[in-house]
Amino acid sequence: LRSDIYSLGILMYECFNGTPPFNEGSIETQIMLKNPSALLNVPEHVNKAIMKAISKHPENRWDSANDFFEALSSRIEVPEEVHVASKQESRREVTRQAVPPSVKPKVLVVDDESDIRTLLRAVLSVSGYIVEDASDGEKAVEQLTKRKFDVVISDIYMPNMDGIQLLKYMRENEFRMPVIIVTASTSEKDILDGYNWGADYYITKPFNNERLLEIVSELTRGTS
């Protein structure tokens, strides 16, 4: 699926660049309106292949993952119509908070928006965390009962089981790992409910990547 190719392209962009292509202001607005900056310090065919994979228009993306991988290995030519910002425009200092290689805390990301899950996975994975995700609270519960996580990052408004219900379930069943609420909701009731059920932090979308990494690092300090 072209949506899967898009997600893979976002992850690869993050791996090469250190930050996702859309990480300032409203993520949704950036995705819809902004052309991502070109990748620096990579071969031009790799840059073009990834930019085609994350094109705003699905019909302009690769038809298959195999085509994408062949383009990355320079076996096929990438069409010139792929539009990206110039490398001069994208030249900047990339900073991120890295986790020591010997420490790999496990993070569960819970959000019904696939783009948000992809962005969070990319930001956390490149910084050294092991990341899994779930599209709602019910699926998160399934994963929590199978393996141990060091931190849970959850949205509030989701189908089947929302973030507050997930928090309630976790605390009533003695899942003691820290929980970070990352949501677009600014409702006072949501904030109070979250803290009443044991949320450790509450972050509103659009979130700041560096601040999120600081919080995750603080909550997982000493984890091995």
Side-chain angles (χ1 to χ4, degrees), residues 65-198:
N66 185 60
D67 286 349
F68 183 19
F69 294 143
E70 287 191 353
L72 288 170
S73 61
S74 71
R75 292 176 187 166
I76 62 176
E77 184 177 350
V78 182
E80 286 296 330
E81 65 267 15
V82 178
H83 178 77
V84 298
S86 71
K87 290 196 175 185
Q88 183 65 33
E89 293 172 349
S90 66
R91 194 169 300 280
R92 63 189 180 279
E93 193 69 26
V94 175
T95 59
R96 66 180 185 275
Q97 184 171 349
V99 177
S102 60
V103 177
K104 292 186 178 296
K106 298 178 182 64
V107 181
L108 177 61
V109 172
V110 191
D111 199 301
D112 60 328
E113 296 183 61
S114 61
D115 288 343
I116 298 297
R117 293 199 306 275
T118 298
L119 288 171
L120 283 168
R121 284 188 70 114
V123 168
L124 293 161
S125 296
V126 125
S127 296
Y129 297 97
I130 298 172
V131 187
E132 295 187 25
D133 63 52
S135 58
D136 59 46
E138 285 186 357
K139 291 183 174 61
V141 167
E142 292 176 11
Q143 290 172 259
L144 287 167
T145 56
K146 293 176 182 177
R147 60 189 63 84
K148 180 183 181 299
F149 292 92
D150 299 293
V151 175
V152 174
I153 300 175
S154 179
D155 190 12
I156 289 183
Y157 295 126
M158 299 178 291
N160 301 320
M161 178 188 284
D162 65 29
I164 301 299
Q165 292 169 328
L166 173 61
L167 254 176
K168 181 179 178 181
Y169 174 89
M170 290 176 63
R171 297 323 184 203
E172 288 179 341
N173 290 274
E174 298 188 352
F175 288 96
R176 301 186 182 279
M177 67 281 291
V179 176
I180 304 170
I181 297 292
V182 179
T183 180
S185 173
T186 56
S187 162
E188 183 177 342
K189 181 179 184 303
D190 287 340
I191 296 172
L192 290 175
D193 285 346
Y195 282 127
N196 285 338
W197 281 108

Side-chain angles (χ1 to χ4, degrees), residues 41-65:
N41 303 317
V42 300
E44 188 59 27
H45 72 274
V46 172
N47 177 58
K48 288 184 177 180
I50 292 175
M51 292 303 171
K52 182 174 175 64
I54 61 176
S55 171
K56 298 184 190 307
H57 306 290
E59 64 273 15
N60 291 337
R61 297 172 196 158
W62 296 105
D63 292 328
S64 69

